[in-house]
Structures are given as C-alpha cells and as structure tokens.
Amino acid sequence: MHFDPFLSGGRRLAFGITFGLGALLATTAYADTVLSVVQAEAPRSMDPGDHTASATGTVLEPMFEGLVKRDESANIVPVLATEWSTDATGTLWTFKLRPGVTFHDGTPFNADAVVYSIQRFLDPARGLAAAGRIKVVIDSIRAVDDLTVEFKLKSPYAGFLELMTTGTPKMVSPTADAAGTLATTPVGTGPFKFTEYKSGEYVLETRNENYWGTPPNVDQLRFTWSGEPSVLAMSVQSGDADVVYPLQPALVLAVQSNPELKLIDSTGSFIYWLSINTQMKPLDDVRVRQALNFATDRQALVAALLRGFGDPANSPLAPSNPFYDAELATYNYDPEKAKALLADAGLPNGFTMTTAVSQRDAPIAAALQGMWSKVGVNLEIRNLESGVWSQVAFADPSGKAADNLGSTIASWSTGAYNPDLQLRPLYATASWSPGGANLGFFSDPHLDELIDQGASELDEAKAKPIYVEAQKLINEQAPHVLLYSKHNLAATSAKVSGVWVAPGGAVNVAWATKSE
C-alpha cells in the first residue's frame, strides 16, 4: 500500500521552509554532472525485494534491472531478457537472457542468478516484504541452460508478465545477497552503481562504466528527501534540486510561472477511498453504504484537495488502467437520495460512525465529515500517526469490532496495469486484513469468482467484460466510498529532460539529461 505525501498542515510547512531547506543546502557541494533528486521520503531498504514503497523504487531503479519493464509509453520491453514465450496452458514461461551482462561486483548475470533472485521470494524463511504475489503465482523456476530460464506457475495467470515489470522481481547479485550485505550495499546490473548512503541525508549513485547498454547521460545521481512539500518546491525553485517529486498541487502555479522550471503532470494509478467495515451494523446494509457514496461530493474533493489535478473516482480502477470502464455509472452527489436510502434502512435521523486516517490524509476525513453531516451522518475522526494507523487499519474483524471502527481512509496502487493486482488485494474474501488489504472485510462469492476468472483468462479481449462486471458489482455493493485518482505532479529544472513518472509514482531519472 502506498500513501499520499501531498497533504500536510500549514504549521508544518512553515517549520519545513526554515529547517528542511537548510539541511538540503548543506549537501549541495557537487559537480555539474550530478542530477539532484529530492523526494518525499527516505528509502526504506536497499534491497529491491524488501519494500513496497514507490519512493524507494525511485532510488533503486537506476541500480537494479528486471527481465522486462514498462517504458514511458507503457509498452512492455526487454531488459535482461531478450525474448519470452508461454506454452498453450499459460503456466510455463520461458525467458531467453541477455548475454555478456555482469553485476556491479563482477558476478556474472546468467540463468543461475535469475533462479537465485526469484527463489528468494519463494523461500518462506526469507520473509521479504514484496514476496506477496510472486510466491502466490510462481510454483518453481529452473535454469534450462546458462541463458534460459523456465517459470512454472501454480495456475494460468494473465498478469504474470505484468508482475515481472514491477519493482519487485529485480535481479540481485547472488554474491552480495549470500553475504548478507544487499540491504546496505545494493548490487544490481543497472546503469548506475551504489556509491554511498549517508543515513538520514542522501544516497549517491555513480555511472556504471561497464554497463551493457547505452550509458547514462549524467555522472552521478544524488537522492535527498523531505516530508515537507514546501521544501521540495523551494529546493527546485532555488536551483538546489534538479528534480522534485511529488509537487503539491497548490505549488503548481509557481512552477508554471517560472521559465527556469518545468512541470510534469502525468496520469496516476492511485485510487483514494474510504473502506467501510461491512461486518459492522449499520454498515452491513448495502443501502447505508450506497447512501455514504451519494453523500460524497467527489468533484468538490478534487477541486479543493487536488486543485483539479485529479479525477473523481467512478471505479476501483484508475483511468490509466486499460481495463477501466469509463462508462461505469458513478455516484453523483445527491444528498436527498442519500437521506432516502438511510430512511429506507431504518435510519431517518442518520447515525454515528468512526474512521481512522493517517495525519497526511486528515483533510480528506475533514471534508467527508462536513459533507456527510448534511445527511445526518456524524463522522468521528481518529487522526493517527502513520505507524499507529497501520496497526489500527490492518486489525482483524474482532479487533475492529472491539475498537468500534467503522471505516478507514487510504489509497492503493500497485503501479502495474493488470487489474488483478489492484482488485484482489482490496476486495477478495481471501484478502481480509491483517493478511491482505481488504480492510472492510467485504465478501461476495460472485466477485471472488470474477477475480479468479479474470486472472486466469489470457485473452485480453475475453478478460475485459469479466473485469467490467467486477467493477459494476463493486460499485453496486459499495464496500468502499471511492473518492478520486490523482495526477502525478513533479517539477524539474528547465535544463533537465528525460525524466518521467510512472503511474504508480516511481520517478525515472536514470536516462535524464542535464544541460549547462
């Protein structure tokens, strides 16, 4: 699960301008060929298989490569694999590997290295944070010869190649992993090599002179971070940073009016929502859940919280997903219909419910509180520090019942386009928290069937109507109050080109160019 770093209070902004920018300016003594990237949070690990955060992926992407990847146009293209195929059953995948590649530490990249990199996830003793879908989907992997590997899947899975494009199955040096140093000294095959990680301050990467492909255009990448949105904006305006992400919507105008800066505004894949505890009265009544949806003014949320840089959600899939159904009927803002549904459910005077929200998403809860009060729903807000929020949000049904927690506000994006990676974790019965991200314990046998059918259907044309039906069912049953998807906003110096933001929020800087 990923979290929105945009939203913060004014008091925090004032503090950040004074303190955070000073910390950034203290680390600026470097050559012109260094690309300075400032983002919202520090990397959580140097091991690409042991995190799920897009900001961490931004730091690791220049150092690690997978067999395939998505390019800027969303095409799946070769990287460390040169070609691939599957058999008629869709369960056996064969990849031909690129010859002549070595890891940064000199370890050869070959079929044994691929087998090693994937088996890390299949080993239950490792417990890697990003193992989730890989260990569920892949049954085994073997080296056919030095440059050929075969994946055997547990069942046909349409999203397998998509899964291989994500940040998780990156190839790591078996030598470094076996030495237990990968989490502190990353070793991949990418165009940049790890140079230094000064905890709490920066990560420095240097161009890999022995890279197998086209060499990068800058000598070094320097990543720093600040949780204060205003600090990010100030750092690029002052010339202290070449790239900042994310950019707070309120600061877009300042970037657009500065000829020395460029704005990146790309479609995102995050969906923001309020998950309803469907096992708790009166929220177990679909009429009540639909009433909450009709009482929500999504257009106003996008205008007020995103300054228009987003889209009201009418689906559990973002518009960037090829399986998104643009024709899906949305819940138009209709307070009178919400009141009628509540009255029909035996709640003519409304009711009181609670929601848990992390501090950075607190403005969403406040907005909903105001909207829902107009239909008689009293929303009690628990504004929690992110660590405490995670504990509360991922409690099991009995824990939430004891806590009287009716809902949770969060967002979700896998960064991939396959709808299974977006729908299964949030809505399948088997994904109830704490094991999954179905935070409201929604369960619908027909939806479970649709999710399984869609995942096993390899023909995209046949899969599309399955996922359209799934989207309709989710909307009708309303286990979430779907809020919005937001744009990915970043700012760069006008001297920088070749930077782009993937729908999931990872910033691609490895092939950036910085002119004088």
Side-chain angles (χ1 to χ4, degrees), residues 9 17 30 64 69 83 125 155 200 213 224 233 367 388 398 455 477 499:
I17 291 173
Y30 43 74
F64 290 96
K69 70 174 183 180
E83 58 182 288
S155 61
T224 54
V388 177
S398 61
Q477 292 298 312
V499 175

Side-chain angles (χ1 to χ4, degrees), residues 4 6-9 12 272 301 305 355-370 379 381-385 389 409-410 484:
D4 190 334
F6 276 176
L7 307 171
S8 61
R12 293 177 63 207
Y272 284 72
L301 290 174
L305 302 180
T355 194
V357 62
S358 63
Q359 291 171 341
R360 68 182 117 197
D361 288 339
I364 300 175
L368 293 178
Q369 187 180 55
L379 183 65
I381 300 172
R382 298 183 189 173
N383 189 351
L384 305 173
E385 182 274 328
W389 177 89
I409 295 175
Y484 54 73

Side-chain angles (χ1 to χ4, degrees), residues 9-210:
R11 186 171 61 181
R12 293 177 63 207
L13 296 182
F15 176 81
I17 291 173
T18 302
F19 180 80
L21 184 59
L24 291 171
L25 291 173
T27 63
T28 57
Y30 43 74
D32 288 342
T33 54
V34 174
L35 189 80
S36 172
V37 182
V38 185
Q39 55 180 8
E41 66 176 52
R44 301 179 185 182
S45 172
M46 289 287 106
D47 184 338
D50 206 18
H51 77 94
T52 58
S54 55
T56 303
T58 294
V59 175
L60 300 185
E61 180 73 17
M63 297 187 287
F64 290 96
E65 297 176 307
L67 299 181
V68 292
K69 70 174 183 180
R70 287 274 189 189
D71 66 10
E72 188 173 358
S73 301
N75 300 310
I76 295 179
V77 298
V79 185
L80 293 176
T82 57
E83 58 182 288
W84 52 88
S85 62
T86 184
D87 70 349
T89 69
T91 59
L92 190 66
W93 286 76
T94 303
F95 289 80
K96 296 290 186 180
L97 306 182
R98 187 176 300 280
V101 179
T102 59
F103 289 96
H104 302 153
D105 60 0
T107 301
F109 169 74
N110 53 25
D112 288 338
V114 176
V115 171
Y116 185 95
S117 293
I118 298 300
Q119 284 187 332
R120 298 192 315 143
F121 298 102
L122 306 183
D123 180 0
R126 292 296 299 267
L128 293 172
R133 290 304 294 160
I134 287 184
K135 67 182 181 183
V136 171
V137 170
I138 298 174
D139 179 72
S140 61
I141 178 174
R142 75 180 185 97
V144 177
D145 56 41
D146 196 47
L147 291 175
T148 308
V149 292
E150 277 186 358
F151 289 78
K152 182 180 179 183
L153 309 189
K154 294 180 178 179
S155 61
Y157 185 61
F160 174 65
L161 198 58
E162 188 78 54
L163 183 62
M164 298 305 290
T165 70
T166 64
T168 300
K170 300 294 189 187
M171 298 299 113
V172 302
S173 164
T175 305
D177 187 68
T181 59
L182 195 62
T184 56
T185 308
V187 181
T189 63
F192 284 88
K193 300 192 297 185
F194 174 75
T195 302
E196 184 181 12
Y197 181 10
K198 191 166 185 179
S199 181
E201 295 191 23
Y202 62 85
V203 172
L204 189 64
E205 302 171 16
T206 302
R207 179 162 57 184
N208 176 11
E209 299 295 348
N210 297 316

Side-chain angles (χ1 to χ4, degrees), residues 359-423:
Q359 291 171 341
R360 68 182 117 197
D361 288 339
I364 300 175
L368 293 178
Q369 187 180 55
M371 293 173 184
W372 292 0
S373 67
K374 297 176 182 177
V375 301
V377 175
N378 176 34
L379 183 65
E380 295 181 346
I381 300 172
R382 298 183 189 173
N383 189 351
L384 305 173
E385 182 274 328
S386 60
V388 177
W389 177 89
S390 294
Q391 293 178 353
V392 171
F394 283 87
D396 64 15
S398 61
K400 285 186 177 173
D403 197 25
N404 193 35
L405 184 62
S407 65
T408 308
I409 295 175
S411 60
W412 181 269
S413 170
T414 63
Y417 295 89
N418 185 273
D420 185 71
L421 298 174
Q422 186 77 14
L423 300 183

Side-chain angles (χ1 to χ4, degrees), residues 125-456:
R126 292 296 299 267
L128 293 172
R133 290 304 294 160
I134 287 184
K135 67 182 181 183
V136 171
V137 170
I138 298 174
D139 179 72
S140 61
I141 178 174
R142 75 180 185 97
V144 177
D145 56 41
D146 196 47
L147 291 175
T148 308
V149 292
E150 277 186 358
F151 289 78
K152 182 180 179 183
L153 309 189
K154 294 180 178 179
S155 61
Y157 185 61
F160 174 65
L161 198 58
E162 188 78 54
L163 183 62
M164 298 305 290
T165 70
T166 64
T168 300
K170 300 294 189 187
M171 298 299 113
V172 302
S173 164
T175 305
D177 187 68
T181 59
L182 195 62
T184 56
T185 308
V187 181
T189 63
F192 284 88
K193 300 192 297 185
F194 174 75
T195 302
E196 184 181 12
Y197 181 10
K198 191 166 185 179
S199 181
E201 295 191 23
Y202 62 85
V203 172
L204 189 64
E205 302 171 16
T206 302
R207 179 162 57 184
N208 176 11
E209 299 295 348
N210 297 316
Y211 185 57
W212 59 267
T214 303
N217 301 307
V218 298
D219 293 322
Q220 289 187 315
L221 301 174
R222 186 185 184 95
F223 295 91
T224 54
W225 43 87
S226 171
E228 301 294 342
S230 62
V231 172
L232 271 65
M234 289 288 289
S235 64
V236 74
Q237 291 178 31
S238 67
D240 192 55
D242 299 306
V243 181
V244 296
Y245 177 81
L247 182 72
Q248 191 177 32
L251 300 171
V252 166
L253 184 60
V255 171
Q256 290 177 319
S257 61
N258 188 337
E260 296 183 356
L261 301 179
K262 292 193 297 188
L263 175 70
I264 296 176
D265 178 3
S266 60
T267 304
S269 60
F270 280 91
I271 294 287
Y272 284 72
W273 36 258
L274 177 140
S275 175
I276 301 171
N277 187 341
T278 61
Q279 301 298 305
M280 177 181 291
K281 292 188 178 302
L283 302 170
D284 59 341
D285 189 326
V286 67
R287 294 169 295 183
V288 175
R289 301 197 298 269
Q290 291 173 342
L292 294 176
N293 274 276
F294 279 117
T296 301
D297 188 346
R298 293 167 179 79
Q299 295 282 0
L301 290 174
V302 170
L305 302 180
L306 303 181
R307 304 293 180 96
F309 291 100
D311 299 288
N314 73 325
S315 165
L317 300 178
S320 59
N321 192 297
F323 290 85
Y324 166 76
D325 182 11
E327 304 300 320
L328 199 64
T330 187
Y331 286 96
N332 295 320
Y333 180 50
D334 191 339
E336 294 306 314
K337 192 164 186 175
K339 290 178 183 177
L341 282 165
L342 290 175
D344 193 42
L347 299 166
N349 298 317
F351 67 101
T352 295
M353 63 180 287
T354 57
T355 194
V357 62
S358 63
Q359 291 171 341
R360 68 182 117 197
D361 288 339
I364 300 175
L368 293 178
Q369 187 180 55
M371 293 173 184
W372 292 0
S373 67
K374 297 176 182 177
V375 301
V377 175
N378 176 34
L379 183 65
E380 295 181 346
I381 300 172
R382 298 183 189 173
N383 189 351
L384 305 173
E385 182 274 328
S386 60
V388 177
W389 177 89
S390 294
Q391 293 178 353
V392 171
F394 283 87
D396 64 15
S398 61
K400 285 186 177 173
D403 197 25
N404 193 35
L405 184 62
S407 65
T408 308
I409 295 175
S411 60
W412 181 269
S413 170
T414 63
Y417 295 89
N418 185 273
D420 185 71
L421 298 174
Q422 186 77 14
L423 300 183
R424 185 181 298 274
L426 301 182
Y427 303 105
T429 303
S431 299
W432 283 19
S433 65
N438 186 343
L439 305 182
F441 318 114
F442 179 64
S443 179
D444 185 294
H446 184 44
L447 180 63
D448 290 340
E449 292 175 4
L450 291 172
I451 290 175
D452 286 341
Q453 289 173 13
S456 60

